[in-house]
Structure formats: C-alpha cells, structure tokens
Coordinates of all heavy atoms in Angstrom, one line a residue:
M6 N 109.6 94.4 95.7 CA 108.4 93.8 96.2 C 107.9 94.4 97.5 O 106.7 94.6 97.7 CB 108.5 92.3 96.3 CG 108.7 91.6 95.0 SD 107.3 91.6 93.9 CE 106.1 90.6 94.8
T7 N 108.9 94.6 98.4 CA 108.5 95.2 99.7 C 107.9 96.6 99.6 O 106.9 96.9 100.2 CB 109.8 95.2 100.6 OG1 110.2 93.9 100.8 CG2 109.4 95.7 102.0
G8 N 108.5 97.4 98.7 CA 108.0 98.8 98.5 C 106.6 98.7 97.9 O 105.7 99.5 98.4
L9 N 106.4 97.8 97.0 CA 105.0 97.7 96.4 C 104.0 97.2 97.4 O 102.9 97.8 97.6 CB 105.0 96.7 95.2 CG 103.7 96.4 94.6 CD1 103.0 97.6 94.0 CD2 103.8 95.3 93.5
A10 N 104.4 96.2 98.2 CA 103.5 95.7 99.3 C 103.2 96.8 100.3 O 102.0 96.9 100.7 CB 104.1 94.5 100.0
N11 N 104.2 97.6 100.7 CA 103.9 98.7 101.7 C 103.0 99.8 101.1 O 102.2 100.3 101.8 CB 105.2 99.3 102.2 CG 105.9 98.3 103.2 OD1 105.2 97.8 104.1 ND2 107.2 98.2 103.1
T12 N 103.2 100.1 99.8 CA 102.3 101.0 99.1 C 100.9 100.5 99.1 O 100.0 101.3 99.4 CB 102.8 101.3 97.7 OG1 104.2 101.8 97.8 CG2 101.9 102.3 97.0
L13 N 100.7 99.2 98.7 CA 99.4 98.7 98.7 C 98.7 98.7 100.1 O 97.6 99.0 100.3 CB 99.4 97.2 98.2 CG 99.7 97.1 96.7 CD1 99.9 95.6 96.4 CD2 98.6 97.6 95.9
R14 N 99.5 98.5 101.1 CA 99.1 98.5 102.5 C 98.6 99.9 102.9 O 97.5 100.1 103.4 CB 100.1 98.0 103.5 CG 99.7 98.1 104.9 CD 100.9 97.7 105.8 NE 100.5 97.8 107.2 CZ 100.9 98.9 107.9 NH1 101.6 99.9 107.4 NH2 100.5 99.0 109.1
D15 N 99.4 100.9 102.5 CA 99.1 102.3 102.8 C 97.8 102.7 102.1 O 97.1 103.6 102.6 CB 100.2 103.2 102.4 CG 101.5 103.0 103.3 OD1 101.3 102.4 104.4 OD2 102.6 103.4 102.8
E16 N 97.6 102.2 100.9 CA 96.4 102.5 100.1 C 95.1 101.7 100.5 O 94.1 101.9 100.0 CB 96.6 102.3 98.6 CG 97.7 103.3 98.1 CD 98.0 103.0 96.6 OE1 97.5 102.1 96.0 OE2 98.8 103.8 96.1
G17 N 95.3 100.8 101.5 CA 94.2 100.0 102.0 C 93.9 98.7 101.2 O 92.9 98.1 101.4
A18 N 94.8 98.4 100.2 CA 94.6 97.2 99.4 C 95.0 95.9 100.1 O 94.5 94.8 99.8 CB 95.3 97.3 98.1
L19 N 95.9 96.0 101.1 CA 96.3 94.9 101.9 C 95.7 95.0 103.3 O 95.8 96.1 103.8 CB 97.9 94.8 102.0 CG 98.6 94.3 100.8 CD1 100.1 94.4 101.1 CD2 98.2 92.9 100.4
D20 N 95.3 93.9 103.8 CA 94.7 94.0 105.2 C 95.4 92.9 106.0 O 95.1 91.7 106.0 CB 93.2 93.6 105.1 CG 92.6 93.7 106.5 OD1 93.2 94.1 107.5 OD2 91.4 93.4 106.6
E21 N 96.4 93.4 106.8 CA 97.3 92.5 107.6 C 96.7 92.2 109.0 O 97.3 91.6 109.8 CB 98.7 93.0 107.7 CG 98.9 94.1 108.6 CD 98.5 95.5 108.1 OE1 98.1 95.6 106.9 OE2 98.7 96.5 108.8
S22 N 95.5 92.7 109.2 CA 94.9 92.5 110.6 C 94.6 91.0 110.8 O 94.7 90.6 111.9 CB 93.6 93.3 110.7 OG 92.6 92.9 109.8
E23 N 94.3 90.3 109.8 CA 94.0 88.9 109.9 C 94.7 88.2 108.7 O 94.3 88.4 107.6 CB 92.5 88.7 109.9 CG 92.1 87.3 110.2 CD 90.6 87.2 110.4 OE1 89.9 87.2 109.3 OE2 90.1 87.1 111.5
C24 N 95.7 87.4 109.0 CA 96.4 86.7 108.0 C 96.3 85.2 108.2 O 96.1 84.7 109.3 CB 97.9 87.1 108.0 SG 98.1 88.8 107.6
F25 N 96.6 84.4 107.2 CA 96.5 83.0 107.2 C 97.8 82.4 106.7 O 98.5 83.0 105.9 CB 95.4 82.5 106.2 CG 94.1 83.1 106.6 CD1 93.7 84.3 106.1 CD2 93.2 82.4 107.5 CE1 92.4 84.9 106.5 CE2 92.0 83.0 107.9 CZ 91.6 84.2 107.3
I26 N 98.2 81.3 107.4 CA 99.5 80.6 107.0 C 99.2 79.1 106.8 O 98.4 78.5 107.5 CB 100.5 80.8 108.1 CG1 101.9 80.3 107.7 CG2 100.1 80.2 109.4 CD1 103.0 80.7 108.6
D27 N 99.8 78.6 105.7 CA 99.7 77.2 105.5 C 100.9 76.8 104.6 O 101.6 77.6 104.1 CB 98.4 76.9 104.7 CG 97.9 75.4 104.9 OD1 98.6 74.7 105.6 OD2 96.9 75.0 104.4
A28 N 101.1 75.5 104.6 CA 102.2 74.9 103.8 C 101.7 73.8 102.9 O 100.7 73.2 103.2 CB 103.3 74.4 104.7
T29 N 102.4 73.5 101.9 CA 102.1 72.4 101.0 C 103.4 71.7 100.6 O 104.5 72.3 100.7 CB 101.3 72.8 99.8 OG1 100.9 71.6 99.1 CG2 102.2 73.7 98.9
F30 N 103.3 70.4 100.3 CA 104.5 69.6 99.9 C 104.6 69.7 98.4 O 103.6 69.6 97.7 CB 104.3 68.1 100.3 CG 105.3 67.2 99.9 CD1 106.5 67.1 100.6 CD2 105.2 66.4 98.8 CE1 107.5 66.2 100.2 CE2 106.2 65.5 98.4 CZ 107.3 65.4 99.1
A31 N 105.8 69.8 97.9 CA 106.1 69.8 96.5 C 107.1 68.7 96.2 O 108.2 68.7 96.8 CB 106.6 71.2 96.0
S32 N 106.8 67.8 95.3 CA 107.7 66.7 95.0 C 108.9 67.3 94.2 O 108.8 68.2 93.4 CB 106.9 65.7 94.1 OG 107.8 64.7 93.8
A33 N 110.1 66.7 94.5 CA 111.3 67.1 93.8 C 112.1 65.9 93.6 O 113.1 65.6 94.3 CB 112.1 68.1 94.7
K34 N 111.7 65.1 92.7 CA 112.3 63.8 92.4 C 113.8 63.9 92.0 O 114.6 63.0 92.2 CB 111.5 63.0 91.3 CG 110.1 62.7 91.8 CD 109.3 62.1 90.7 CE 107.9 61.8 91.2 NZ 107.0 61.4 90.2
G35 N 114.2 65.0 91.4 CA 115.6 65.2 91.0 C 116.5 65.5 92.1 O 117.7 65.5 91.9
G36 N 116.0 65.9 93.3 CA 116.9 66.2 94.4 C 117.4 67.6 94.3 O 116.8 68.5 93.6
G37 N 118.5 67.9 95.0 CA 119.1 69.3 95.0 C 119.2 69.8 96.4 O 118.9 69.1 97.4
D38 N 119.7 71.1 96.5 CA 119.8 71.7 97.8 C 118.5 71.8 98.5 O 117.5 72.1 97.9 CB 120.5 73.1 97.7 CG 121.9 73.0 97.2 OD1 122.5 71.9 97.4 OD2 122.4 74.0 96.7
E39 N 118.4 71.7 99.8 CA 117.2 71.8 100.6 C 116.2 70.8 100.3 O 115.0 70.9 100.7 CB 116.6 73.2 100.5 CG 117.5 74.4 101.0 CD 117.7 74.3 102.5 OE1 116.7 74.0 103.3 OE2 118.8 74.4 102.9
I40 N 116.5 69.7 99.6 CA 115.6 68.6 99.3 C 116.0 67.5 100.2 O 117.1 67.1 100.3 CB 115.7 68.2 97.8 CG1 115.5 69.4 96.9 CG2 114.8 67.1 97.5 CD1 114.2 70.1 97.0
C41 N 115.0 66.9 100.8 CA 115.3 65.8 101.7 C 114.1 64.8 101.6 O 113.1 65.1 101.2 CB 115.4 66.3 103.2 SG 113.9 66.9 103.8
P42 N 114.4 63.5 102.0 CA 113.4 62.5 101.9 C 112.3 62.7 103.0 O 112.6 63.2 104.1 CB 114.2 61.2 102.1 CG 115.4 61.6 102.8 CD 115.7 63.0 102.4
A43 N 111.1 62.3 102.7 CA 110.0 62.4 103.6 C 109.1 61.2 103.4 O 109.4 60.3 102.5 CB 109.2 63.7 103.4
K44 N 108.1 61.0 104.1 CA 107.2 59.9 103.9 C 106.6 59.8 102.5 O 106.3 58.8 102.0 CB 106.0 60.0 104.9 CG 106.4 59.7 106.4 CD 105.2 59.9 107.3 CE 105.7 59.8 108.7 NZ 104.6 60.0 109.6
R45 N 106.4 61.0 101.9 CA 105.8 61.1 100.6 C 106.9 61.1 99.5 O 106.6 61.5 98.3 CB 105.0 62.3 100.5 CG 103.8 62.2 101.4 CD 103.0 63.5 101.5 NE 102.5 64.0 100.2 CZ 102.0 65.1 100.0 NH1 101.8 66.0 101.0 NH2 101.5 65.4 98.8
G46 N 108.1 60.9 99.8 CA 109.2 60.9 98.8 C 110.1 62.1 99.0 O 109.9 62.9 100.0
K47 N 111.0 62.4 98.1 CA 111.8 63.6 98.2 C 111.0 64.8 97.8 O 110.2 64.8 96.9 CB 113.0 63.5 97.2 CG 114.0 62.4 97.6 CD 115.2 62.4 96.7 CE 116.2 61.4 97.1 NZ 117.4 61.3 96.2
G48 N 111.3 65.9 98.5 CA 110.6 67.1 98.2 C 110.9 68.3 99.1 O 111.9 68.2 99.9
L49 N 110.1 69.3 99.0 CA 110.3 70.5 99.9 C 109.0 71.0 100.3 O 107.9 70.6 99.7 CB 111.2 71.6 99.2 CG 110.7 72.1 97.8 CD1 109.7 73.2 98.0 CD2 111.9 72.5 97.0
E50 N 109.0 71.9 101.2 CA 107.7 72.4 101.7 C 107.7 73.9 101.3 O 108.6 74.7 101.5 CB 107.7 72.3 103.3 CG 106.4 72.6 103.9 CD 106.1 71.7 105.0 OE1 107.0 71.0 105.6 OE2 104.9 71.6 105.4
I51 N 106.5 74.3 100.8 CA 106.3 75.7 100.4 C 105.3 76.3 101.5 O 104.2 75.8 101.6 CB 105.7 75.9 99.0 CG1 106.6 75.2 98.0 CG2 105.4 77.3 98.7 CD1 106.0 75.0 96.6
M52 N 105.8 77.3 102.2 CA 105.0 77.9 103.2 C 104.7 79.4 102.8 O 105.5 80.1 102.4 CB 105.7 77.9 104.6 CG 104.8 78.5 105.7 SD 105.4 78.1 107.3 CE 104.6 76.4 107.5
E53 N 103.4 79.8 103.0 CA 103.0 81.1 102.6 C 102.1 81.7 103.6 O 101.3 81.1 104.3 CB 102.2 80.9 101.2 CG 101.7 82.2 100.7 CD 101.1 82.0 99.3 OE1 100.2 81.2 99.1 OE2 101.5 82.8 98.4
I54 N 102.2 83.0 103.7 CA 101.4 83.8 104.6 C 100.6 84.8 103.6 O 101.2 85.4 102.8 CB 102.1 84.7 105.6 CG1 102.9 83.8 106.5 CG2 101.2 85.6 106.4 CD1 103.9 84.5 107.5
V55 N 99.3 84.8 103.7 CA 98.4 85.6 102.9 C 97.5 86.5 103.8 O 97.3 86.2 104.9 CB 97.6 84.8 101.9 CG1 98.4 84.0 101.0 CG2 96.6 83.9 102.7
D56 N 97.1 87.6 103.2 CA 96.2 88.5 103.9 C 94.7 87.9 103.8 O 94.6 86.9 103.1 CB 96.2 90.0 103.5 CG 95.6 90.3 102.2 OD1 95.3 89.3 101.4 OD2 95.3 91.4 101.9
R57 N 93.7 88.6 104.3 CA 92.4 88.0 104.3 C 91.8 88.0 102.9 O 90.8 87.3 102.7 CB 91.5 88.8 105.3 CG 91.3 90.2 104.8 CD 90.4 91.0 105.7 NE 89.6 90.2 106.6 CZ 89.0 90.6 107.7 NH1 89.1 91.8 108.1 NH2 88.3 89.7 108.4
H58 N 92.4 88.6 101.9 CA 91.9 88.6 100.6 C 92.7 87.6 99.7 O 92.5 87.5 98.5 CB 92.0 90.0 99.9 CG 91.3 91.1 100.7 ND1 89.9 91.1 100.8 CD2 91.8 92.1 101.4 CE1 89.6 92.1 101.6 NE2 90.7 92.7 102.0
G59 N 93.7 86.9 100.3 CA 94.5 86.0 99.6 C 95.7 86.5 98.9 O 96.4 85.8 98.2
L60 N 96.1 87.8 99.2 CA 97.3 88.4 98.6 C 98.5 87.9 99.4 O 98.5 88.0 100.6 CB 97.2 89.9 98.6 CG 96.1 90.5 97.7 CD1 95.9 92.0 98.0 CD2 96.4 90.2 96.3
P61 N 99.5 87.4 98.7 CA 100.7 86.9 99.5 C 101.5 88.0 100.2 O 101.7 89.0 99.6 CB 101.5 86.2 98.4 CG 101.1 86.8 97.1 CD 99.7 87.3 97.3
L62 N 101.8 87.7 101.4 CA 102.7 88.6 102.2 C 104.0 88.0 102.5 O 105.0 88.7 102.8 CB 102.0 88.9 103.5 CG 100.6 89.6 103.4 CD1 100.0 89.8 104.8 CD2 100.7 90.9 102.7
A63 N 104.1 86.7 102.4 CA 105.4 86.0 102.6 C 105.3 84.6 101.9 O 104.3 83.9 102.1 CB 105.7 85.8 104.1
V64 N 106.4 84.2 101.3 CA 106.5 82.9 100.7 C 107.9 82.4 100.9 O 108.8 83.1 100.6 CB 106.2 82.9 99.1 CG1 106.3 81.6 98.5 CG2 104.8 83.5 98.9
G65 N 108.0 81.2 101.3 CA 109.3 80.6 101.5 C 109.3 79.1 101.2 O 108.3 78.4 101.3
T66 N 110.5 78.5 100.9 CA 110.6 77.1 100.7 C 111.5 76.6 101.8 O 112.5 77.2 102.1 CB 111.1 76.7 99.3 OG1 112.4 77.4 99.1 CG2 110.1 77.2 98.2
H67 N 111.3 75.4 102.2 CA 112.0 74.8 103.3 C 112.1 73.3 103.1 O 111.3 72.7 102.4 CB 111.4 75.0 104.7 CG 111.0 76.5 104.9 ND1 111.9 77.4 105.2 CD2 109.8 77.1 104.7 CE1 111.3 78.6 105.3 NE2 110.0 78.4 105.0
A68 N 113.1 72.7 103.7 CA 113.2 71.2 103.6 C 112.1 70.6 104.4 O 111.6 71.2 105.4 CB 114.6 70.8 104.3
V69 N 111.6 69.5 104.0 CA 110.4 68.9 104.6 C 110.7 68.2 105.9 O 109.8 67.7 106.6 CB 109.7 67.9 103.6 CG1 109.1 68.6 102.5 CG2 110.6 66.8 103.2
N70 N 111.9 68.1 106.3 CA 112.2 67.4 107.5 C 112.1 68.3 108.7 O 112.3 67.9 109.9 CB 113.6 66.8 107.5 CG 114.7 67.8 107.3 OD1 114.5 68.9 106.9 ND2 116.0 67.4 107.6
H71 N 111.6 69.5 108.5 CA 111.2 70.4 109.6 C 109.7 70.5 109.8 O 109.0 70.5 108.8 CB 111.7 71.9 109.3 CG 113.2 71.9 109.1 ND1 114.1 71.7 110.1 CD2 113.9 72.2 108.0 CE1 115.3 71.9 109.6 NE2 115.2 72.1 108.3
H72 N 109.3 70.5 111.1 CA 107.8 70.6 111.3 C 107.3 72.0 111.0 O 108.1 73.0 111.1 CB 107.5 70.3 112.8 CG 106.1 70.0 113.0 ND1 105.2 71.0 113.3 CD2 105.4 68.8 113.0 CE1 104.0 70.4 113.4 NE2 104.1 69.1 113.3
E73 N 106.1 72.1 110.5 CA 105.5 73.4 110.1 C 105.6 74.5 111.3 O 105.8 75.6 111.0 CB 104.1 73.3 109.7 CG 103.9 72.7 108.4 CD 102.5 72.6 107.9 OE1 101.6 73.4 108.4 OE2 102.1 71.7 107.1
V74 N 105.4 74.0 112.5 CA 105.5 75.0 113.6 C 106.8 75.7 113.7 O 106.9 76.9 114.0 CB 105.1 74.3 115.0 CG1 105.4 75.2 116.1 CG2 103.7 73.7 114.9
T75 N 107.9 75.0 113.4 CA 109.2 75.6 113.5 C 109.5 76.6 112.3 O 110.4 77.4 112.4 CB 110.3 74.6 113.6 OG1 110.3 73.8 112.4 CG2 110.2 73.6 114.8
L76 N 108.7 76.4 111.3 CA 108.9 77.3 110.1 C 108.1 78.6 110.1 O 108.3 79.4 109.3 CB 108.5 76.5 108.8 CG 109.3 75.2 108.6 CD1 108.8 74.5 107.4 CD2 110.8 75.5 108.5
V77 N 107.2 78.7 111.1 CA 106.4 80.0 111.1 C 107.3 81.2 111.3 O 107.2 82.1 110.6 CB 105.3 79.9 112.2 CG1 104.6 81.2 112.4 CG2 104.3 78.8 111.9
Q78 N 108.2 81.1 112.3 CA 109.1 82.3 112.5 C 110.0 82.5 111.4 O 110.2 83.7 111.0 CB 109.9 82.0 113.8 CG 110.7 83.2 114.2 CD 109.8 84.4 114.5 OE1 108.8 84.3 115.2 NE2 110.3 85.6 114.0
V79 N 110.5 81.5 110.7 CA 111.3 81.6 109.6 C 110.6 82.3 108.4 O 111.2 83.1 107.7 CB 111.9 80.2 109.1 CG1 112.6 80.3 107.8 CG2 112.7 79.6 110.2
S80 N 109.3 82.1 108.3 CA 108.5 82.7 107.2 C 108.5 84.2 107.3 O 108.4 84.9 106.3 CB 107.1 82.1 107.3 OG 107.0 80.8 107.0
F81 N 108.6 84.7 108.5 CA 108.6 86.2 108.7 C 109.9 86.8 108.2 O 109.9 88.0 107.9 CB 108.4 86.6 110.2 CG 106.9 86.4 110.6 CD1 106.5 85.4 111.4 CD2 106.0 87.3 110.1 CE1 105.2 85.3 111.7 CE2 104.7 87.2 110.4 CZ 104.3 86.2 111.2
D82 N 110.9 86.0 107.9 CA 112.1 86.5 107.3 C 111.9 86.9 105.8 O 112.6 87.7 105.3 CB 113.3 85.5 107.3 CG 113.8 85.2 108.7 OD1 113.5 86.0 109.6 OD2 114.4 84.1 108.9
F83 N 110.8 86.3 105.3 CA 110.4 86.6 103.9 C 109.2 87.5 103.8 O 108.6 87.7 102.7 CB 110.2 85.3 103.1 CG 111.3 84.4 103.1 CD1 111.4 83.3 104.0 CD2 112.4 84.6 102.3 CE1 112.4 82.4 104.0 CE2 113.5 83.7 102.3 CZ 113.5 82.6 103.2
H84 N 108.8 88.1 104.9 CA 107.6 89.0 105.0 C 107.8 90.2 104.2 O 108.8 90.9 104.3 CB 107.3 89.3 106.5 CG 105.9 89.5 106.7 ND1 105.4 90.8 107.0 CD2 104.8 88.7 106.8 CE1 104.1 90.7 107.3 NE2 103.7 89.4 107.1
L85 N 106.8 90.6 103.3 CA 107.0 91.7 102.4 C 106.7 93.0 103.0 O 107.1 94.1 102.5 CB 106.1 91.5 101.2 CG 106.5 90.3 100.3 CD1 105.5 90.2 99.1 CD2 107.9 90.5 99.7
I86 N 105.8 93.1 104.1 CA 105.5 94.4 104.6 C 106.1 94.5 106.0 O 106.4 93.5 106.7 CB 104.0 94.6 104.7 CG1 103.3 93.6 105.5 CG2 103.4 94.6 103.3 CD1 101.8 93.8 105.7
E87 N 106.3 95.7 106.4 CA 107.0 96.0 107.7 C 106.1 95.6 108.9 O 106.6 95.1 109.9 CB 107.4 97.5 107.8 CG 108.4 97.8 106.8 CD 108.5 99.3 106.5 OE1 107.7 100.1 107.1 OE2 109.3 99.7 105.6
A88 N 104.8 95.8 108.8 CA 103.9 95.5 109.9 C 103.6 94.0 109.9 O 103.5 93.3 108.9 CB 102.5 96.2 109.7
K89 N 103.6 93.4 111.1 CA 103.3 92.0 111.3 C 101.8 91.9 111.5 O 101.1 92.8 111.9 CB 104.0 91.5 112.5 CG 105.6 91.6 112.4 CD 106.1 90.8 111.3 CE 107.6 90.8 111.2 NZ 108.2 91.3 110.1
P90 N 101.2 90.7 111.1 CA 99.8 90.5 111.3 C 99.4 90.6 112.8 O 100.1 90.1 113.7 CB 99.5 89.1 110.7 CG 100.9 88.5 110.5 CD 101.9 89.5 110.6
E91 N 98.2 91.1 113.0 CA 97.6 91.1 114.3 C 97.2 89.7 114.7 O 97.4 89.3 115.9 CB 96.4 92.1 114.4 CG 96.8 93.5 114.1 CD 95.5 94.4 114.0 OE1 94.5 94.1 114.6 OE2 95.7 95.5 113.4
N92 N 96.6 89.0 113.8 CA 96.1 87.6 114.0 C 96.7 86.8 112.9 O 96.5 87.1 111.8 CB 94.6 87.5 114.1 CG 94.0 88.3 115.2 OD1 94.4 88.1 116.3 ND2 93.1 89.2 114.9
L93 N 97.3 85.7 113.3 CA 97.8 84.7 112.3 C 97.1 83.4 112.5 O 97.2 82.8 113.6 CB 99.4 84.5 112.5 CG 100.0 83.7 111.5 CD1 99.9 84.3 110.1 CD2 101.5 83.5 111.8
I94 N 96.4 83.0 111.5 CA 95.5 81.8 111.6 C 96.1 80.7 110.8 O 96.5 80.9 109.6 CB 94.1 82.1 111.1 CG1 93.6 83.3 112.0 CG2 93.2 80.9 111.2 CD1 92.3 83.9 111.4
G95 N 96.3 79.5 111.4 CA 96.8 78.4 110.7 C 96.0 77.1 111.0 O 95.2 77.1 111.9
D96 N 96.4 76.0 110.4 CA 95.7 74.8 110.7 C 96.4 74.1 111.9 O 97.4 74.6 112.4 CB 95.6 73.8 109.5 CG 97.0 73.5 108.9 OD1 98.0 73.8 109.6 OD2 97.0 73.1 107.7
R97 N 95.9 73.0 112.3 CA 96.4 72.2 113.4 C 97.9 71.8 113.3 O 98.6 71.7 114.2 CB 95.5 71.0 113.7 CG 95.9 70.3 115.0 CD 95.0 69.1 115.2 NE 93.7 69.6 115.6 CZ 93.1 69.2 116.7 NH1 93.7 68.4 117.5 NH2 91.9 69.6 116.9
A98 N 98.3 71.6 112.1 CA 99.7 71.1 111.8 C 100.7 72.2 112.3 O 101.7 71.9 112.8 CB 99.9 70.9 110.4

C-alpha cells in the first residue's frame, strides 16, 4: 500500500499539501481487544487522515478511552506516504 501511495503521489494523484483528520465511534457490543466502555457503550474509535480529494493516507483504530488529540501522532504510525502533510486540518475535538 505504501508503494502504491508513493507512486500516486509522484504522479500527482495525491495532494498531501492539505490533509484532513477526523475520527468516528464504532460500536462493538461483543467486546474484544482494544474495546473499552464509553458514554455511548462499548466500542472503538476509527481515525483517518485523507488528502484534499478524500483519498485515505492513514487509517487506524484505537480504544475510545483516549482523547482524539492524543491519537493524532499515533495516526502517523499508519501513514501510507513518506511525506507528511504541510497542513493538517481537524475539528475542535
């Protein structure tokens, strides 16, 4: 995946100059590793970084007992391209 993402970047199909990051809650009623209770029940958080065209550059899952701000740096562990975004835009959370 990393090789493909870097090839797309070299061909101009990926634009990492402006990227967006957000997370969503996914219910996991059955439990399991990395599943923890939250206000909305048991689940996990899916965090994704996309380029300005919506193409995913990083996707990761995390326990919901961590705040989104602490997961931003962890998301870069799953980053598909070598270059980091010039601007990373997220919501207030």
Side-chain angles (χ1 to χ4, degrees):
M6 291 294 291
T7 301
L9 174 61
N11 285 319
T12 300
L13 289 172
R14 178 181 176 263
D15 293 341
E16 294 175 358
L19 287 178
D20 183 4
E21 76 280 359
S22 63
E23 190 173 74
C24 294
F25 302 87
I26 187 168
D27 204 1
T29 188
F30 176 83
S32 179
K34 296 177 183 172
D38 293 342
E39 295 296 316
I40 304 300
C41 66
K44 292 178 186 176
R45 296 172 56 188
K47 289 183 180 179
L49 55 89
E50 193 142 17
I51 303 168
M52 183 163 277
E53 183 173 49
I54 299 174
V55 298
D56 78 343
R57 67 180 342 163
H58 304 294
L60 295 171
L62 301 177
V64 178
T66 59
H67 312 281
V69 293
N70 61 344
H71 301 291
H72 195 275
E73 284 184 27
V74 171
T75 62
L76 299 177
V77 172
Q78 187 61 44
V79 174
S80 295
F81 283 108
D82 294 343
F83 302 100
H84 208 251
L85 292 177
I86 60 175
E87 295 161 1
K89 300 296 186 241
E91 294 173 26
N92 296 308
L93 185 63
I94 300 166
D96 57 17
R97 187 180 287 237

